[in-house]
Amino acid sequence: MEKHDCVIIGSGPAGYTAAIYAARADLKPIIYTGLEPGGQLTTTTDVENFPGYPEGIMGPAMMEDLRKQAERFGTEIRFGMVTKAELSKIAGEYHKLTIDESKEVLARTVIIATGASAKYLGLESEKKMMGHGVSACAICDGFFFKGKDVVVVGGGDSAAEEATYLAKLCPKVTLLVRKDHMKASQIMQQRVENTANIEVLWNTETLEVLGEKTVTGVRVKNNETGEEKVVEAEGFFVAIGHKPNTDIFKGQIDMDDVGYIKTKPGTASTNLPGVFATGDAQDKHYRQAITAAGSGCMGALEAERYLQEYEVAVES
Ligand code: NDP
């Protein structure tokens, strides 16, 4: 069976940054890309908030640059999905990974960079307008809606945060909450209430995102009265939660109720020796490409130190 010092699972900003650092430290990392090489950014258009691109860059092009940079230092990039992980609890032991349900590889360190996926409503019209007015990230895309009216859907902290963020850029934000109350924390709800240009529509569900080439409005329904109406808007922001892609580690690694991997504060270390978690798989607060990249760097540096310690332990 193949044996490697460092296997990175996932090819978003966290995975590629981990690879750049690990490769430059001569750990000869292997990346398994997953089914969506490049991760969430390959589904976005302009990225304007990643430092180093004064004119902005298209998400897929940026991921291509990161891939090339990782390859330049010798990272081996393999298209494949890690379908099973058997993680050891013993320091220095190999972890076993199964790729595409068949091939098995051993890794002394595993850097998890599997990301998270934004949840969507599942409407056909929502899918059709993705990237043309439909977004799941106000901080990434809000700027493109400056001066335009937008709709946000959701009732949790993310929806409250996105609505208040967008309210600084947009004349009017309509927040669609499907119940008669929000799930968000009190302080976040107060922020929504105290923002004059946010209108909350309670008991309201989305029926259809309207528009041909770009979003022109949202058809909604009050689930108490049955009344339907159209809210005019040029942007539709879905903020109904994310799902971290961590199912294969369940039961082995410490995670919260939703599946975000727990790391020791200020590090990428998990409860398992030689297993490091980076990017959105362990971050429910920031979820930015730059924070993912930063934590990818941390994961690689910690993997390098771990391997050094392990070698010392074996020799003594
Ligand atoms: P949550 O799971 O907390 O909330 C999801 C919200 O979306 C709920 O109000 C839910 O409604 C609603 N929803 C789910 N499905 C649908 C649907 N199909 N149609 C309409 N509405 C729907 O996710 P968040 O992303 O808001 O938060 C995740 C975690 O991150 C939380 O722990 C949160 O506290 C944290 N967070 C903290 C922030 C901060 O502190 N600044 C900022 C952002 C997130 P319902 O209430 O009816 O179930």
Side-chain angles (χ1 to χ4, degrees), residues 121 154-158 161 178-179 183 188 240-241 284 287:
L121 298 175
D157 280 336
S158 292
E161 193 170 69
R178 66 178 173 181
K179 291 188 179 148
K183 184 181 170 189
M188 301 294 272
I240 61 170
K284 66 180 171 194
R287 299 192 205 107

Side-chain angles (χ1 to χ4, degrees), residues 55-88:
E55 306 303 326
I57 184 164
M58 297 300 272
M62 187 176 116
M63 295 320 298
E64 189 65 10
D65 282 350
L66 283 177
R67 183 184 60 76
K68 285 185 196 150
Q69 195 173 352
E71 278 181 323
R72 182 179 152 209
F73 300 108
T75 304
E76 189 184 328
I77 296 170
R78 297 180 178 177
F79 182 77
M81 184 85 180
V82 176
T83 46
K84 189 174 173 193
E86 291 161 82
L87 303 174
S88 172

